[in-house]
Amino acid sequence: MTRAKALRGLVLTMGYACTAIGIAHVLLGNASIPGAESAGPTIDSLGRFFGAIFAGYGLAWLWAARQPAVPAAAVRGLTAVFLLGALGRLLSLAAEGWPHAFQVALAVLELALSPLLFWLADAEEAQAKAHRAPPAPDGNA
């Protein structure tokens, strides 16, 4: 598999997964968060709000995937947000202790995928640039 195909596959996966997760949080509230079913109405409201934001984040990934060449700047920006979320989980772990095991697994996934996405970010743009033929010399000097 080429870097470009890996990038497009990951960008599409991020888009569909984030959109679906965001919609689930909007529709299910606290029930969508393992271990938070009884967190109360304030956390339910906050979770549903952030679910909508996360669905929009997923749509941004899908927008990037639908471009002729996945834009490296978009991938880097969206990945930076993803990594910031993972760092927030680590800060929470340090401040509040260990969360539900599912949240720990998500943090590991986020920390592992971020460097991969940064590395792949320019794969399609680089491939498109490599396929552009340089101007042919006309022989008339």
Side-chain angles (χ1 to χ4, degrees), residues 25-55:
H25 280 270
V26 170
L27 297 176
L28 302 174
N30 286 343
S32 66
I33 306 167
E37 293 84 4
S38 62
T42 300
I43 299 302
D44 183 81
S45 174
L46 182 68
R48 290 176 197 261
F49 172 80
F50 284 131
I53 301 286
F54 202 62

Side-chain angles (χ1 to χ4, degrees), residues 28-120:
L28 302 174
N30 286 343
S32 66
I33 306 167
E37 293 84 4
S38 62
T42 300
I43 299 302
D44 183 81
S45 174
L46 182 68
R48 290 176 197 261
F49 172 80
F50 284 131
I53 301 286
F54 202 62
Y57 175 72
L59 293 174
W61 279 106
L62 290 174
W63 170 87
R66 286 180 168 76
Q67 301 309 302
V70 175
V75 172
R76 287 186 187 108
L78 292 167
T79 301
V81 171
F82 193 59
L83 181 57
L84 184 60
L87 296 175
R89 289 187 196 274
L90 293 178
L91 181 59
S92 176
L93 189 149
E96 299 294 328
W98 289 92
H100 189 278
F102 184 68
Q103 302 298 323
V104 174
L106 289 174
V108 169
L109 181 68
E110 293 154 0
L111 290 168
L113 280 179
S114 293
L116 178 61
L117 285 162
F118 279 125
W119 177 67
L120 292 172

Side-chain angles (χ1 to χ4, degrees), residues 7 69-73 76 121-130 132:
L7 172 66
V70 175
R76 287 186 187 108
D122 69 344
E124 283 201 1
E125 287 182 354
Q127 183 179 27
K129 186 177 179 181
R132 285 187 215 122

